[in-house]
Amino acid sequence: MPNTANTPRKILITSALPYANGPIHLGHLVEYIQTDIWARFQKMRGHTCTYVCADDAHGTPIMLRAQAEGITPEALIAKSSEEHQADFAGFNVQFDHYDSTNSAENKAFAEQIYLTLKEKGYISRKTISQYYDPEKEMFLPDRFVKGTCPKCKTDDQYGDNCEACGATYSPTDLINPTSAVSGATPIEKETDHLFFELNQFEEMLKTWTREGHLQTQIANKLDEWLNSGLRGWDISRDAPYFGFEIPGEKDKFFYVWLDAPIGYMSSFKTYCDQSGLNFDEYWKEDATTELYHFIGKDIINFHALFWPAMLTGAGFRKPTGIFAHGFLTVDGQKMSKSRGTFIMAKTYLEHLNPEYLRYYYAAKLTSRIDDIDLNLEDFAQRVNSDLVGKVINIASRCAGFVVKKFDGKLSGQWSPEATALYQSFADKSEEIAALYESRDYGHAMRDIMALADKANEYIAETAPWVLAKQEGKEAELHESVSVGINLFRVLISYLTPVLPVTADKANAFLKLENIAWNDIKKPLLDHEITKFKPLLTRLEMEGIQKMVDASASTMNNGKAAPDGKKERNDKKATSKQPSPAFEPIADEISIEEFAKIDLRIAKIIHAEAVPDAKKLLKLTLDIGNEQRQVFAGIKSAYEPEELIGKLTVMVANLAPRKMRFGLSEGMVLAAGPGGSDLYILSPTDGATPGMRVK
């Protein structure tokens, strides 16, 4: 994989194509936000980076839904495309080109690839037996056959897997099968289908999947297919079917999964025709440009087995890398329509700022394929703590002094200490860039927020609100707030791929053009800024609850949507035990009881790991007139050395507790869902050790 050195690169990026049979929801957005952040980062670095996508517009589900709505499939996919693009634009996902697989360009590429594969002997014809609806006179995809599970005997299960017990099977194994289209009892009927002989590419795939193009977990998973031997892949479907008719065949259409990835090529080709880019430079067999696909882990077989084999057989290049991600859960459970946690993009946008979700996803995403959880309470806490409380707070605390005291102009000369502080922020540039490059966004966000803590500590130590009241301190005040604004500028530059709209507002405040990654090498000296306006406001739980309520109302009162999935070859079980959006409130306490809690600002003057404890750190805290020893369960989130010197909040009047490691004389307050996502409370605004928190 390429390194992060700023050598100019030519990069083509795609996300999996959303199916044109339903709206975009928050689960989908994990992928598009992840991809958009990477594309924006590459462009900030000065690379030629193109991000294309398209609606996946073919298949039986689309044909049947169009019939149910009394419109043509073309009208349905046109409506879906408009809705999808509006949703993506609402979340600031910026494609260079967005297309449809139902295009002349995609038809031409699908036919070209198929005919080349056929000419080279990679296509075969086989007779198969398949369920057929005698009333609708059509062959039925697996998910359009329903019946009783042959394993656990649960009724109303799909023809490919049971959602109750997780068993996988053939549709012909179902007990009392029925057609989901007409309700008729299906019959078995023979038909000829065309197959792509994937087994002829087995050795190539065994090598390619282990050459660093895939995450290790994905390569290991693919070994299960490769080691058991690859078989022919069915690439045809019988009429009636909405798709491209196969050249030289009668009433045979390309299976939707054949022309869907080809949509990456056709979308890019249309963009090339518009922009002047050279298509062959990116897709020819020996291309040295970079090609990356961002996808969900559930469609890896199509992208990492079928797709590179098709490309190789047809004389095109293979992807440089395929980046898979996990699924989204909400409050630890599968998204639930009844609980209001199956949230559509449109519903979210009616209630909340999209940049909140972009940041939260970034804070959770890694280079691995782990599922990520949208914990709604943690969502609000992290946005408020990190973005509003740490980053935006820096500008809001300093800008007023610059405008009122110095006519909006930053100082032109700093002390060596201030210069060194700024340089330490700028020196993190390549380290943070490497984290973006490797898609370890969560680590990048933690490093950026550690810098934000450092910036707030500087402001607290220099205390401009105190300097402003003292005679003869104008130079010190000017440096303090000018450095603060510059540190904010570095932070917002690092966050620009994640928060593009907030960054644009910050640019206007700072009177800057678009920020390039390397611009931060030089601080803003003798530079004029404008009056500060709030860039982000606090995220209130009331707004989140309104979104959840609106989502539940929409889902429970509306008609059940047709099955929005394409016919697929992979199987997976799903959970049927959703949890409430919020935990129940504990027993009430009186205001008198609450008032007894004595919260104090504490400075961590020493921290060390407790060798025999998995979760504990031993902290020595300065609370003004004394020092306390406290054991805190935050080892999974912090290295001891990074805590030294930080301010936090502790419960000072908690009775000492004798532990086997020693005496714990209080409690440090922290928030978050746990694990590495745990954050001690970090006060600013002139806080000093021993100060009481009210």
Side-chain angles (χ1 to χ4, degrees):
M1 305 293 283
N3 59 35
T4 58
N6 219 10
T7 304
R9 296 156 59 188
K10 294 183 177 181
I11 307 169
L12 174 58
I13 305 171
T14 75
S15 296
L17 311 186
Y19 201 40
N21 191 36
I24 302 300
H25 57 66
L26 298 196
H28 293 131
L29 285 165
V30 171
E31 179 169 310
Y32 301 97
I33 288 173
Q34 181 190 37
T35 317
D36 184 72
I37 289 171
W38 209 69
R40 288 178 182 273
F41 162 72
Q42 300 295 352
K43 291 173 181 179
M44 277 189 74
R45 296 282 278 176
H47 303 310
T48 300
C49 178
T50 307
Y51 179 20
V52 301
C53 196
D55 265 6
D56 184 359
H58 290 154
T60 302
I62 286 174
M63 178 184 72
L64 294 175
R65 179 170 175 180
Q67 290 176 4
E69 294 189 12
I71 59 177
T72 64
E74 289 82 1
L76 174 63
I77 62 178
K79 181 177 71 170
S80 292
S81 180
E82 183 178 346
E83 293 171 351
H84 287 178
Q85 292 187 65
D87 288 340
F88 290 136
F91 279 90
N92 309 321
V93 176
Q94 190 175 63
F95 303 107
D96 290 289
H97 182 68
Y98 194 88
D99 215 307
S100 168
T101 59
N102 192 47
S103 67
E105 292 80 5
N106 201 42
K107 185 175 187 290
F109 275 117
E111 291 179 351
Q112 176 188 342
I113 288 173
Y114 166 75
L115 291 172
T116 303
L117 296 175
K118 182 180 179 181
E119 181 184 350
K120 292 183 177 181
Y122 299 133
I123 303 296
S124 64
R125 185 184 304 271
K126 300 174 186 177
T127 300
I128 66 169
S129 179
Q130 190 176 358
Y131 265 146
Y132 182 83
D133 186 324
E135 291 187 11
K136 287 289 186 178
E137 297 183 335
M138 61 178 289
F139 285 96
L140 295 169
D142 292 354
R143 291 191 68 83
F144 285 84
V145 182
K146 303 193 83 172
T148 301
C149 172
K151 302 292 177 63
C152 71
K153 306 302 187 289
T154 300
D155 293 332
D156 198 33
Q157 296 305 304
Y158 289 114
D160 54 359
N161 75 281
C162 176
E163 293 191 336
C165 70
T168 59
Y169 40 72
S170 169
T172 54
D173 295 330
L174 282 173
I175 301 169
N176 299 322
T178 60
S179 166
V181 181
S182 68
T185 300
I187 60 174
E188 287 191 62
K189 188 174 179 179
E190 288 189 343
T191 180
D192 285 349
H193 273 210
L194 299 168
F195 287 78
F196 172 50
E197 292 301 334
L198 192 62
N199 59 305
Q200 297 191 43
F201 299 88
E202 194 168 292
E203 292 307 313
M204 179 276 290
L205 289 169
K206 285 181 177 179
T207 300
W208 183 81
T209 56
R210 288 296 180 181
E211 290 181 333
H213 305 289
L214 309 170
Q215 294 128 304
T216 302
Q217 306 99 307
I218 294 299
N220 292 340
K221 177 65 178 176
L222 292 179
D223 279 347
E224 297 177 17
W225 278 293
L226 292 166
N227 293 336
S228 62
L230 299 177
R231 299 184 297 274
W233 175 42
D234 191 343
I235 61 167
S236 65
R237 292 297 184 266
D238 293 284
Y241 192 82
F242 182 62
F244 295 139
E245 196 161 7
I246 300 176
E249 301 291 332
K250 180 176 173 55
D251 294 335
K252 301 287 183 186
F253 293 80
F254 286 128
Y255 173 41
V256 59
W257 269 110
L258 180 128
D259 66 68
I262 294 172
Y264 303 141
M265 301 174 73
S266 61
S267 181
F268 181 64
K269 179 61 167 64
T270 302
Y271 180 71
C272 288
D273 293 342
Q274 297 170 354
S275 65
L277 285 182
N278 187 327
F279 177 86
D280 289 338
E281 189 178 5
Y282 287 80
W283 284 100
K284 64 182 179 180
E285 195 168 13
D286 58 349
T288 57
T289 54
E290 301 169 44
L291 168 63
Y292 300 100
H293 301 309
F294 285 76
I295 63 167
K297 63 182 179 181
D298 57 329
I299 54 174
I300 190 64
N301 54 335
F302 296 106
H303 284 80
L305 293 178
F306 306 158
W307 180 229
M310 283 172 52
L311 289 169
T312 299
F316 291 102
R317 59 91 49 83
K318 293 183 286 293
T320 311
I322 298 175
F323 304 140
H325 59 82
F327 301 128
L328 177 73
T329 57
V330 179
D331 286 340
Q333 296 290 336
K334 179 187 175 185
M335 293 190 297
S336 165
K337 294 180 180 180
S338 63
R339 299 290 183 179
T341 58
F342 198 99
I343 302 166
M344 297 304 169
K346 182 179 179 181
T347 306
Y348 178 102
L349 292 170
E350 289 170 350
H351 294 86
L352 302 176
N353 186 328
E355 304 249 297
Y356 297 155
L357 192 71
R358 287 180 65 100
Y359 176 74
Y360 192 75
Y361 280 177
K364 291 277 190 171
L365 282 164
T366 70
S367 60
R368 302 185 300 274
I369 58 170
D370 306 329
D371 295 346
I372 70 171
D373 184 52
L374 171 57
N375 181 290
L376 295 173
E377 291 189 3
D378 177 56
F379 176 38
Q381 291 167 359
R382 187 172 300 203
V383 166
N384 293 336
S385 172
D386 289 2
L387 298 184
V388 180
K390 293 182 180 181
V391 178
I392 305 303
N393 191 42
I394 297 169
S396 67
R397 294 165 76 189
C398 297
F401 293 111
V402 176
V403 172
K404 294 176 184 177
K405 297 283 187 177
F406 307 105
D407 296 324
K409 198 166 188 179
L410 302 176
S411 63
Q413 189 173 358
W414 296 348
S415 66
E417 294 78 12
T419 301
L421 176 63
Y422 181 87
Q423 190 61 46
S424 71
F425 276 54
D427 286 345
K428 292 285 286 185
S429 169
E430 290 306 309
E431 187 176 330
I432 291 172
L435 293 172
Y436 271 118
E437 179 72 34
S438 63
R439 307 172 323 285
D440 198 350
Y441 302 160
H443 191 167
M445 296 307 103
R446 290 193 295 274
D447 281 6
I448 293 168
M449 290 308 142
L451 290 176
D453 285 337
K454 196 173 178 181
N456 280 292
E457 287 170 10
Y458 167 80
I459 296 168
E461 289 169 0
T462 56
W465 51 89
V466 175
L467 295 173
K469 299 176 182 178
Q470 299 177 347
E471 292 186 11
K473 296 290 186 179
E474 287 80 7
E476 292 179 46
L477 172 62
H478 202 186
E479 177 177 279
S480 170
V481 293
S482 297
V483 171
I485 292 295
N486 270 274
L487 298 182
F488 165 76
R489 179 246 188 152
V490 175
L491 294 171
I492 207 67
S493 296
Y494 289 154
L495 287 168
T496 294
V498 180
L499 307 174
V501 171
T502 303
D504 285 344
K505 294 178 181 177
N507 287 344
F509 156 64
L510 295 170
K511 287 192 173 182
L512 295 172
E513 298 298 326
N514 292 333
I515 298 175
W517 192 263
N518 290 328
D519 287 348
I520 61 170
K521 290 181 178 179
K522 294 183 179 180
L524 303 176
L525 302 176
D526 286 323
H527 181 84
E528 187 176 339
I529 65 171
T530 64
K531 183 179 180 181
F532 179 79
K533 298 178 181 178
L535 304 178
L536 285 172
T537 57
R538 284 180 56 83
L539 172 54
E540 303 296 343
M541 289 302 299
E542 180 182 1
I544 294 176
Q545 188 62 58
K546 286 181 178 178
M547 175 187 69
V548 170
D549 291 344
S551 185
S553 176
T554 300
M555 289 296 180
N556 294 333
N557 294 336
K559 294 180 179 179
D563 186 274
K565 297 183 180 179
K566 294 188 295 189
E567 181 187 357
R568 297 197 326 205
N569 294 354
D570 57 326
K571 324 283 185 181
K572 69 183 181 71
T574 55
S575 168
K576 300 294 283 187
Q577 300 176 348
S579 67
F582 304 105
E583 293 295 323
I585 295 174
D587 293 339
E588 292 181 350
I589 62 172
S590 68
I591 190 65
E592 290 79 13
E593 290 174 296
F594 182 77
K596 294 178 182 179
I597 301 173
D598 189 350
L599 301 179
R600 299 279 174 159
I601 303 298
K603 185 175 183 178
I604 303 172
I605 58 176
H606 184 69
E608 62 183 81
V610 179
D612 296 329
K614 293 182 178 179
K615 299 181 179 180
L616 294 180
L617 292 180
K618 179 181 176 182
L619 307 178
T620 303
L621 305 177
D622 176 6
I623 57 171
N625 59 349
E626 63 176 299
Q627 293 183 5
R628 297 274 189 93
Q629 175 179 280
V630 171
F631 292 93
I634 56 175
K635 184 188 283 188
S636 62
Y638 291 97
E639 294 296 331
E641 56 270 16
E642 70 177 296
L643 290 171
I644 297 173
K646 285 184 179 291
L647 294 178
T648 187
V649 178
M650 73 170 293
V651 181
N653 62 335
L654 187 67
R657 180 187 176 195
K658 188 174 183 181
M659 307 175 68
R660 66 187 180 94
F661 314 106
L663 190 67
S664 187
E665 303 171 298
M667 175 186 291
V668 168
L669 300 187
S676 60
D677 293 330
L678 194 63
Y679 306 93
I680 61 170
L681 302 192
S682 301
T684 53
D685 291 328
T688 57
M691 180 183 295
R692 186 165 186 181
V693 179
K694 298 182 180 179

